[in-house]
Amino acid sequence: MNRRPSSQKPDRQPDPHSREADQFTLALDVDEPALTREALFEALALWVELGWLRQLDRHFAIFLAERDPDDDPLLWLAAALASHQVGRGHVCLSLSRVLEAPRSALSLPPLEEGNDAAQAVVLPESLLEGVTPQRWAAVLAASSIVALAGEASGLATPLVLDGERLYLRRYWQAESGVAAHLRQRLGQPLAVADELAEQLAALFAGNQREGDDPDWQRVACALALRQRLTIISGGPGTGKTTTVTRLLALLQQQSLARDGEALRIRLAAPTGKAAARLSESIAGAVGRLAVPAAVRDAIPQEAQTLHRLLGARPDTRHFRHHAEAPLSLDLLVVDEASMVDLEMMAALLEAMPADARLILLGDKDQLASVEAGSVLGDLCAGAGVGDGTGYSESLRDYLQAVAGEPLPAAAETNPLADHVAMLRKSFRFRADSGIGALARAANAGDGRGFVQVLKDGFQDLATLDIDATAFERAVVSGYRELFEALRTGASPSAILALQSRFQVLCALRRGPWGVEGLNERIARALWQQGWISRTDGWFAGRPVMVTHNDPQLGLYNGDLGLTLPDEGGRLRVCFPQGDGVRQVLPSRLDAAATAFAMTVHKSQGSEFEHVLFALPARANPIVTRELIYTGITRARSRLTLALAKTQPRGGNDERMLRDAVARRVVRDSAIAERLLKASAVSTATDSSGREA
């Protein structure tokens, strides 16, 4: 049954035996802003029961209340919401944002299916009635368990109040550290040799322009030549790795000519799959370079995970490399940077040598990391769109001289924008590509256009009813090539190569349209066709995803493997690693899940020839523009959307799609604000260092 929350106070209590009793009523039945301890914890318990709040968040509030029972309940409410926001990917709790839209701080709506209890629910706006940001901040500042940002470093409080943002201490420290390290990289530009202009022109001579648009690949490369921090954002097929490979060639050519030594360059990505794809892409791009062999040999072609790069220590949150034991490198390239969470970025920046270059590659429009933070998105948003409109006059002059790319003067300049380049032209999706058209509509938030693209008859797009047998037929057909290779005794490397041909993606983890339900359904369909011997446990052909880091095995969260028999018929879980295959006994994989279907979050950093993308039938706050865009762009050649037909006369629920495409994720953080504020202070000082 589809239940929708209502904010209307009921006129009467429903009869427990009537149909009305099967509906939730969300009652705002608090007339006065008298928040008591009892009322708060009763509300928190019910929110947990409804799935709006995590049990962890409630217990955090209880812990703080036990520590200081005399605190204002508004403090405990803020603590529970701040903890919950972290679980949803936010870095902090914005007091003003919560008061403007109180429900935004909870995972609601919808209500959990299957809960048939009839009850009145007090919503956040009821508990916060009459509260202002100033009053709330004053309550927090008066507590002994909250430190103000200016004095937080010398205290050990669990919460930190920075302006109107409330942080869990750990995340305040991480955000402060990231901002401080990035600020150091926004300094004076590096010297660029005059001869690089000619070399740059030669490397990009084959690029075709569209009208009067600049060659943004060339702009990005020229940008990165002169600074220690460069962010290159672009969608699939826009040439991010091609651009960075040419940049590495230019830098190595310069270093070899000047010093006779190559730069120490490392390549990394958040997951094993993303690292493997980066290695493959770089190797292909290096092979196409028209440069001396010594330069090609000096460009690394093997990437590793960030955990492996930093030296993850088993059973701890610490790494072997940090401020006192920095990484030994001159330049680091991080691909799929949108997946890097705040704490990982803090650890990475702490381990970076001060004079080393950092290049972040990614797609700002993709889903952010599962963990808290959206560093790449925050930086790109703070910089503007990254299309040169905010570039400083000195940078525009430089790009004209070195890259031959004249850019118009900007009405407003942005110091962060000087470090961001946006690649816009996709070389993967042709003008007649339905996948490309669908991705553009999703990215623009054009729900009506999105639905229309599905109806336009593109050859690379299809839809089906997820509840019909057509879903099983599509899955069996998609996996057929892999299981035929398995049946004929193909080599593990050949079978693993086929794993990227087809993949089922979904938005949710639980429920009939989530990972759990779809994996069971897919396994049953394959078993019925005789492709697998069983539907549970370990069996040949079972795809698995590592769900926790295991440095001892060299496997990390998100690594995708396939269960295959060895020559003796014994099962091994095979993972692609570099040019070879890593085989692991199933008994050694303590944290692995079946991956016939995986969430869109887990698919980031991967691409597949054909993606079957399953979306839930009902509106869900998890299904957003970013999720849909990311799921769509995992498909290289073919995309099938599996949708539940919820309308009485059939047809896909178009309204759900339009609403989801319009729904955008905005994560609360202050990284860009910190950087821009620091830059403003810096530019407001005179030569003596005194503020003007």
Side-chain angles (χ1 to χ4, degrees), residues 538-561:
W538 291 100
F539 53 86
R542 180 193 178 192
V544 296
M545 176 173 286
V546 177
T547 55
H548 290 91
N549 296 330
D550 191 337
Q552 293 181 338
L553 290 178
L555 299 173
Y556 296 89
N557 189 5
D559 285 353
L560 192 63

Side-chain angles (χ1 to χ4, degrees), residues 46-58:
L46 185 55
W47 294 351
V48 170
E49 182 182 340
L50 296 174
W52 298 351
L53 196 74
R54 300 179 302 173
Q55 192 69 261
L56 172 68
D57 313 321
R58 172 175 169 265

Side-chain angles (χ1 to χ4, degrees), residues 245-494:
T245 303
R246 293 172 181 178
L247 167 67
L248 300 182
L250 284 172
L251 291 173
Q252 289 293 37
Q253 194 164 352
Q254 182 185 42
S255 182
L256 290 169
R258 183 185 63 240
D259 305 323
E261 295 183 0
L263 296 173
R264 298 168 299 170
I265 299 174
R266 306 288 290 275
L267 310 174
T271 67
K273 188 67 175 179
R277 283 194 57 247
L278 178 60
S279 300
E280 181 182 348
S281 299
I282 291 284
V286 168
R288 296 188 296 270
L289 286 175
V291 296
V295 175
R296 284 199 300 271
D297 293 341
I299 300 174
Q301 300 182 26
E302 184 173 348
Q304 57 190 148
T305 65
L306 289 173
H307 285 88
R308 189 175 295 145
L309 173 74
L310 293 174
R313 293 179 172 176
D315 304 320
T316 75
R317 303 176 62 86
H318 304 292
F319 300 95
R320 290 195 299 274
H321 292 287
H322 43 77
E324 285 72 39
L327 294 163
S328 179
L329 52 81
D330 301 305
L331 188 154
L332 175 64
V333 176
V334 179
D335 197 17
E336 298 291 351
S338 65
M339 300 168 60
V340 183
D341 64 87
L342 178 67
E343 290 192 289
M344 175 56 75
M345 185 64 76
L348 177 65
L349 291 172
E350 184 184 358
M352 285 285 295
D355 58 349
R357 299 174 190 254
L358 175 63
I359 300 172
L360 301 177
L361 306 178
D363 185 348
K364 68 178 181 62
D365 297 312
Q366 282 191 27
L367 282 167
S369 64
V370 176
E371 303 296 330
S374 176
V375 179
L376 183 77
D378 292 340
L379 296 177
C380 290
V385 294
D387 61 358
T389 56
Y391 287 170
S392 63
E393 182 179 358
S394 62
L395 180 59
R396 293 197 308 274
D397 292 343
Y398 162 80
L399 292 174
Q400 171 73 65
V402 174
E405 296 290 353
L407 296 174
E412 296 182 6
T413 60
N414 183 332
L416 187 55
D418 281 2
H419 296 260
V420 178
M422 184 72 184
L423 306 183
R424 298 185 177 275
K425 181 182 178 182
S426 177
F427 298 91
R428 177 184 304 173
F429 302 128
R430 306 186 307 271
D432 61 347
S433 166
I435 297 174
L438 206 61
R440 288 191 295 273
N443 212 6
D446 183 3
R448 295 187 181 279
F450 186 93
V451 172
Q452 186 58 50
V453 171
L454 292 176
K455 298 178 179 179
D456 284 344
F458 286 100
Q459 294 299 308
D460 56 346
L461 294 180
T463 62
L464 58 82
D465 184 355
I466 196 173
D467 291 322
T469 56
F471 177 81
E472 280 82 358
R473 289 198 300 269
V475 168
V476 171
S477 175
Y479 282 118
R480 184 180 301 278
E481 188 176 9
L482 185 149
F483 282 101
E484 286 180 342
L486 176 59
R487 182 170 290 179
T488 58
S491 66
S493 58

Side-chain angles (χ1 to χ4, degrees), residues 1-215:
M1 180 173 295
N2 187 17
R3 304 182 182 87
R4 259 188 344 190
S6 167
S7 61
Q8 301 299 315
K9 182 177 179 178
D11 295 326
R12 59 182 174 81
Q13 292 295 322
D15 183 349
H17 301 291
S18 69
R19 289 177 60 88
E20 192 178 350
D22 198 40
Q23 304 289 326
F24 279 98
T25 303
L26 305 184
L28 306 183
D29 54 1
V30 180
D31 298 324
E32 300 294 333
L35 181 58
T36 65
R37 178 188 180 111
E38 292 73 20
L40 172 65
F41 287 109
E42 182 179 348
L44 295 183
L46 185 55
W47 294 351
V48 170
E49 182 182 340
L50 296 174
W52 298 351
L53 196 74
R54 300 179 302 173
Q55 192 69 261
L56 172 68
D57 313 321
R58 172 175 169 265
H59 281 295
F60 181 51
I62 293 173
F63 168 77
L64 296 181
E66 291 173 346
R67 180 170 175 174
D68 192 347
D70 296 328
D71 268 329
D72 193 310
L74 277 174
L75 167 69
W76 307 327
L77 174 61
L81 295 180
S83 175
H84 187 64
Q85 289 293 75
V86 167
R88 300 173 65 210
H90 298 272
V91 176
C92 57
L93 178 75
S94 170
L95 303 182
S96 60
R97 191 188 299 274
V98 172
L99 292 174
E100 289 172 3
R103 301 187 194 185
S104 66
L106 291 177
S107 299
L108 92 117
L111 298 171
E112 292 285 335
E113 293 186 41
N115 193 334
D116 297 323
Q119 46 196 307
V121 181
V122 176
L123 291 175
E125 53 259 49
S126 178
L127 301 179
L128 293 169
E129 186 178 352
V131 178
T132 64
Q134 294 76 18
R135 178 191 165 193
W136 207 357
V139 168
L140 296 172
S143 173
S144 62
I145 60 176
V146 180
L148 300 180
E151 53 194 38
S153 298
L155 301 174
T157 60
L159 298 169
V160 176
L161 182 65
D162 195 337
E164 63 92 34
R165 295 183 174 94
L166 182 67
Y167 292 81
L168 303 185
R169 168 171 288 277
R170 191 171 109 200
Y171 295 95
W172 178 81
Q173 290 175 327
E175 186 178 89
S176 301
V178 168
H181 285 294
L182 291 177
R183 195 181 304 126
Q184 295 173 358
R185 299 181 178 277
L186 302 183
Q188 290 295 110
L190 303 173
V192 177
D194 294 338
E195 62 267 19
L196 286 184
E198 184 178 344
Q199 297 167 358
L200 184 68
L203 281 173
F204 290 91
N207 283 15
Q208 296 182 350
R209 297 177 180 269
E210 292 186 353
D212 297 329
D213 291 342
D215 182 349

